[in-house]
Short mmCIF file of all heavy atoms in Angstrom, two decimals:
data_model
loop_
_atom_site.label_atom_id
_atom_site.label_comp_id
_atom_site.label_asym_id
_atom_site.label_seq_id
_atom_site.Cartn_x
_atom_site.Cartn_y
_atom_site.Cartn_z
N VAL A 86 -1.19 -7.76 36.04
CA VAL A 86 -0.43 -8.86 35.37
C VAL A 86 1.03 -8.73 35.66
O VAL A 86 1.66 -7.84 35.20
CB VAL A 86 -0.70 -8.88 33.84
CG1 VAL A 86 0.01 -10.09 33.22
CG2 VAL A 86 -2.20 -8.86 33.53
N GLU A 87 1.49 -9.68 36.53
CA GLU A 87 2.96 -9.66 36.88
C GLU A 87 3.55 -10.75 35.98
O GLU A 87 3.59 -11.90 36.29
CB GLU A 87 3.15 -9.99 38.28
CG GLU A 87 2.50 -9.02 39.29
CD GLU A 87 3.22 -7.71 39.35
OE1 GLU A 87 4.34 -7.59 38.83
OE2 GLU A 87 2.70 -6.80 40.04
N GLN A 88 4.13 -10.32 34.78
CA GLN A 88 4.59 -11.27 33.78
C GLN A 88 5.67 -12.24 34.32
O GLN A 88 5.62 -13.42 34.10
CB GLN A 88 5.09 -10.49 32.54
CG GLN A 88 4.02 -9.78 31.84
CD GLN A 88 4.56 -9.26 30.46
OE1 GLN A 88 5.08 -10.03 29.66
NE2 GLN A 88 4.38 -7.96 30.25
N LEU A 89 6.64 -11.66 35.02
CA LEU A 89 7.83 -12.47 35.44
C LEU A 89 7.35 -13.60 36.34
O LEU A 89 7.69 -14.79 36.16
CB LEU A 89 8.83 -11.58 36.20
CG LEU A 89 10.04 -12.37 36.82
CD1 LEU A 89 10.82 -12.96 35.66
CD2 LEU A 89 10.89 -11.32 37.59
N TYR A 90 6.49 -13.29 37.30
CA TYR A 90 6.14 -14.31 38.29
C TYR A 90 5.02 -15.23 37.70
O TYR A 90 4.97 -16.39 38.04
CB TYR A 90 5.59 -13.67 39.55
CG TYR A 90 6.76 -12.83 40.23
CD1 TYR A 90 6.52 -11.58 40.51
CD2 TYR A 90 7.83 -13.51 40.69
CE1 TYR A 90 7.62 -10.79 41.15
CE2 TYR A 90 8.82 -12.88 41.36
CZ TYR A 90 8.72 -11.50 41.54
OH TYR A 90 9.73 -10.77 42.14
N ALA A 91 4.23 -14.68 36.77
CA ALA A 91 3.20 -15.55 36.15
C ALA A 91 4.03 -16.60 35.31
O ALA A 91 3.58 -17.77 35.29
CB ALA A 91 2.35 -14.69 35.17
N ARG A 92 5.05 -16.28 34.62
CA ARG A 92 5.88 -17.19 33.87
C ARG A 92 6.52 -18.20 34.83
O ARG A 92 6.54 -19.39 34.52
CB ARG A 92 6.92 -16.47 33.07
CG ARG A 92 6.36 -15.76 31.84
CD ARG A 92 7.51 -15.35 30.91
NE ARG A 92 7.00 -14.55 29.90
CZ ARG A 92 6.39 -15.12 28.79
NH1 ARG A 92 6.16 -16.35 28.72
NH2 ARG A 92 5.94 -14.39 27.82
N GLU A 93 6.95 -17.77 35.99
CA GLU A 93 7.61 -18.66 36.90
C GLU A 93 6.60 -19.64 37.44
O GLU A 93 6.83 -20.84 37.63
CB GLU A 93 8.18 -17.91 38.11
CG GLU A 93 9.02 -18.77 39.03
CD GLU A 93 9.73 -17.96 40.07
OE1 GLU A 93 9.75 -16.77 40.00
OE2 GLU A 93 10.26 -18.66 41.00
N LEU A 94 5.34 -19.20 37.69
CA LEU A 94 4.21 -20.04 38.07
C LEU A 94 3.95 -21.10 37.12
O LEU A 94 3.60 -22.29 37.46
CB LEU A 94 3.01 -19.21 38.36
CG LEU A 94 1.89 -19.82 39.19
CD1 LEU A 94 2.39 -20.22 40.65
CD2 LEU A 94 0.75 -18.79 39.35
N LEU A 95 4.08 -20.79 35.80
CA LEU A 95 3.79 -21.78 34.71
C LEU A 95 4.98 -22.64 34.43
O LEU A 95 4.82 -23.66 33.78
CB LEU A 95 3.42 -21.03 33.47
CG LEU A 95 2.17 -20.23 33.46
CD1 LEU A 95 2.19 -19.11 32.35
CD2 LEU A 95 0.93 -21.16 33.34
N ALA A 96 6.16 -22.32 34.88
CA ALA A 96 7.41 -22.92 34.40
C ALA A 96 7.66 -24.34 34.84
O ALA A 96 8.41 -25.07 34.18
CB ALA A 96 8.61 -22.12 34.84
N ASP A 97 6.95 -24.78 35.91
CA ASP A 97 7.28 -26.16 36.34
C ASP A 97 6.55 -27.19 35.52
O ASP A 97 6.75 -28.43 35.69
CB ASP A 97 6.97 -26.36 37.80
CG ASP A 97 5.48 -26.21 38.11
OD1 ASP A 97 4.65 -26.07 37.19
OD2 ASP A 97 5.11 -26.25 39.35
N GLY A 98 5.68 -26.77 34.58
CA GLY A 98 5.15 -27.77 33.68
C GLY A 98 3.99 -28.57 34.15
O GLY A 98 3.57 -29.56 33.49
N THR A 99 3.44 -28.19 35.31
CA THR A 99 2.26 -28.92 35.81
C THR A 99 1.08 -28.05 35.78
O THR A 99 1.21 -26.83 35.54
CB THR A 99 2.49 -29.34 37.28
OG1 THR A 99 2.67 -28.21 38.05
CG2 THR A 99 3.68 -30.28 37.36
N GLY A 100 -0.10 -28.61 35.82
CA GLY A 100 -1.36 -27.89 35.71
C GLY A 100 -1.77 -27.29 37.00
O GLY A 100 -0.96 -27.06 37.90
N GLY A 101 -3.12 -27.02 37.07
CA GLY A 101 -3.54 -26.42 38.27
C GLY A 101 -3.12 -24.98 38.41
O GLY A 101 -2.79 -24.49 39.55
N ILE A 102 -3.24 -24.17 37.32
CA ILE A 102 -2.85 -22.86 37.35
C ILE A 102 -3.92 -21.95 36.71
O ILE A 102 -4.51 -22.29 35.64
CB ILE A 102 -1.56 -22.68 36.49
CG1 ILE A 102 -0.42 -23.36 37.16
CG2 ILE A 102 -1.27 -21.20 36.33
CD1 ILE A 102 -0.01 -22.80 38.53
N GLY A 103 -4.19 -20.82 37.36
CA GLY A 103 -5.11 -19.85 36.74
C GLY A 103 -4.70 -18.42 37.10
O GLY A 103 -3.95 -18.24 38.10
N TYR A 104 -5.08 -17.50 36.25
CA TYR A 104 -4.76 -16.10 36.49
C TYR A 104 -5.93 -15.30 35.96
O TYR A 104 -6.04 -15.12 34.71
CB TYR A 104 -3.45 -15.76 35.83
CG TYR A 104 -2.68 -14.52 36.34
CD1 TYR A 104 -1.37 -14.60 36.66
CD2 TYR A 104 -3.28 -13.27 36.56
CE1 TYR A 104 -0.64 -13.56 37.17
CE2 TYR A 104 -2.62 -12.21 37.06
CZ TYR A 104 -1.26 -12.36 37.36
OH TYR A 104 -0.56 -11.24 37.85
N LEU A 105 -6.71 -14.67 36.83
CA LEU A 105 -7.88 -13.86 36.45
C LEU A 105 -7.64 -12.41 36.93
O LEU A 105 -6.97 -12.18 37.95
CB LEU A 105 -9.13 -14.45 37.04
CG LEU A 105 -9.54 -15.81 36.78
CD1 LEU A 105 -10.88 -16.24 37.47
CD2 LEU A 105 -9.68 -16.06 35.24
N LEU A 106 -8.16 -11.53 36.19
CA LEU A 106 -8.06 -10.09 36.57
C LEU A 106 -9.43 -9.73 37.25
O LEU A 106 -10.51 -9.98 36.72
CB LEU A 106 -7.86 -9.21 35.32
CG LEU A 106 -6.51 -9.49 34.64
CD1 LEU A 106 -6.32 -8.59 33.41
CD2 LEU A 106 -5.34 -9.30 35.59
N LYS A 107 -9.33 -9.12 38.43
CA LYS A 107 -10.51 -8.85 39.25
C LYS A 107 -11.62 -8.06 38.42
O LYS A 107 -12.74 -8.35 38.59
CB LYS A 107 -10.17 -8.03 40.47
CG LYS A 107 -9.32 -8.85 41.50
CD LYS A 107 -8.98 -7.91 42.66
CE LYS A 107 -8.16 -8.69 43.70
NZ LYS A 107 -7.70 -7.84 44.81
N ASP A 108 -11.22 -7.11 37.67
CA ASP A 108 -12.17 -6.23 36.98
C ASP A 108 -12.69 -6.83 35.66
O ASP A 108 -13.58 -6.31 35.00
CB ASP A 108 -11.63 -4.85 36.63
CG ASP A 108 -10.41 -4.91 35.77
OD1 ASP A 108 -9.91 -5.99 35.44
OD2 ASP A 108 -9.91 -3.82 35.39
N ARG A 109 -12.31 -8.19 35.46
CA ARG A 109 -12.83 -8.87 34.27
C ARG A 109 -13.56 -10.19 34.66
O ARG A 109 -13.82 -11.01 33.82
CB ARG A 109 -11.64 -9.21 33.28
CG ARG A 109 -11.13 -7.92 32.59
CD ARG A 109 -9.87 -8.11 31.89
NE ARG A 109 -9.97 -9.23 30.88
CZ ARG A 109 -10.42 -9.08 29.66
NH1 ARG A 109 -10.83 -7.85 29.17
NH2 ARG A 109 -10.53 -10.08 28.77
#
Side-chain angles (χ1 to χ4, degrees):
V86 181
E87 302 285 354
Q88 292 188 55
L89 176 63
Y90 296 119
R92 287 193 183 283
E93 189 175 349
L94 198 57
L95 294 161
D97 65 5
T99 61
I102 293 295
Y104 202 128
L105 301 181
L106 298 179
K107 290 178 180 177
D108 60 357
R109 290 169 56 85

